[in-house]
């Protein structure tokens, strides 16, 4: 242990900055300097200095690269944000990687399409006994179903499932779906032609 009681000024600020980064990575709302100081157990002045250093670092002003995120003051508080030029990229990624859960109606419609494909909206609607237009649009936008042709008699669009459904279900083909008949009460009212899947 050294007898020198005067620590360098860079070390405490660097420690505060590291602790701030850890907190800033998990906050959902902008945090005031006072709240950040309480969270990291440091004086407000040290937090203010550390925040200024982080802003400069992320902006590439300290010799490093300009980061794809920034530390921004909004509404009297500080929070990490994606830089504006990357908003579209991040939005596309989030929408494709973490879609929200499907509703019960969407799951039921998807099951009908998976077992009966190729199938038209009106055929799905007659099986479910409800209008399925908006649900089919949702499934199309999620990439779980796609247009596979037209009914030769009516000209109606026919729908089928995509490989994205197989990936989400963790199966290699629709042949791995369980037979529908054993899932019904008497086992005899299954979809006709389910073997065509």
């Amino acid at each position: 242990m050294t007898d020198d009681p005067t620590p360098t000024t860079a070390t405490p600020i660097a420690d505060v900055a590291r602790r701030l980064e850890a907190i800033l990575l998990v906050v959902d709302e902008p945090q005031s300097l006072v709240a950040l100081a309480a969270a990291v157990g440091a004086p407000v002045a040290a937090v203010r200095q550390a925040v200024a250093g982080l802003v400069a670092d992320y902006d590439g002003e300290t010799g490093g690269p300009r980061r794809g995120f920034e530390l921004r003051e909004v509404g009297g508080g500080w929070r990490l944000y994606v830089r504006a030029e990357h908003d579209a990229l991040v939005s596309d990624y989030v929408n494709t990687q973490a879609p929200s859960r499907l509703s019960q109606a969407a799951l039921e419609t998807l099951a009908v399409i998976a077992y009966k494909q190729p199938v038209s909206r009106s055929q799905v609607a007659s099986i479910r006994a409800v209008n399925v237009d908006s649900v089919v649009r949702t499934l199309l936008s999620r990439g779980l179903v796609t247009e596979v042709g037209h009914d030769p008699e009516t000209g109606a669009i026919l729908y089928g499932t995509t490989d994205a459904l197989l990936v989400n279900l963790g199966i290699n083909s629709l042949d791995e779906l369980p037979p529908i008949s054993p899932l019904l009460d008497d086992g005899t009212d299954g979809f006709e032609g389910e073997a065509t899947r």
Side-chain angles (χ1 to χ4, degrees), residues 1-193:
M1 180 179 242
T2 179
D3 291 340
D4 183 7
T6 58
T8 64
T9 57
T11 302
I13 295 301
D15 286 342
V16 171
R18 282 191 290 274
R19 294 195 307 256
L20 280 173
E21 282 181 313
I23 295 297
L24 289 166
L25 280 173
V26 297
V27 298
D28 291 331
E29 300 293 330
Q31 302 295 305
S32 69
L33 289 176
V34 172
L36 289 171
V40 299
V44 173
V47 169
R48 183 179 292 113
Q49 187 178 351
V51 164
L54 290 172
V55 169
D57 182 28
Y58 300 156
D59 288 347
E61 297 171 5
T62 59
R66 183 171 185 258
R67 307 284 173 66
F69 58 90
E70 62 184 326
L71 181 55
R72 190 185 326 153
E73 185 176 17
V74 175
W78 292 88
R79 182 171 174 250
L80 292 172
Y81 291 90
V82 172
R83 290 199 186 272
E85 63 261 31
H86 302 301
D87 279 347
L89 171 72
V90 172
S91 178
D92 289 347
Y93 176 79
V94 169
N95 288 335
T96 59
Q97 295 299 315
S100 59
R101 296 178 64 162
L102 292 174
S103 67
Q104 184 67 31
L107 289 172
E108 291 171 6
T109 301
L110 185 56
V112 171
I113 294 172
Y115 280 97
K116 292 288 288 179
Q117 63 187 311
V119 63
S120 68
R121 284 186 195 199
S122 63
Q123 290 169 321
V124 174
S126 69
I127 292 170
R128 290 207 52 238
V130 294
N131 186 316
V132 296
D133 290 349
S134 65
V135 176
V136 170
R137 281 194 298 274
T138 298
L139 295 173
L140 283 166
S141 70
R142 298 276 182 94
L144 297 173
V145 300
T146 188
E147 296 179 7
V148 295
H150 291 85
D151 185 295
E153 294 177 15
T154 65
I157 297 171
L158 298 175
Y159 297 93
T161 56
T162 66
D163 289 342
L165 175 66
L166 300 178
V167 170
N168 283 312
L169 292 177
I171 60 177
N172 292 316
S173 79
L174 293 174
D175 295 331
E176 295 179 42
L177 288 174
I180 194 72
S181 294
L183 301 177
L184 300 173
D185 291 337
D186 64 5
T188 59
D189 295 330
F191 297 138
E192 302 83 10

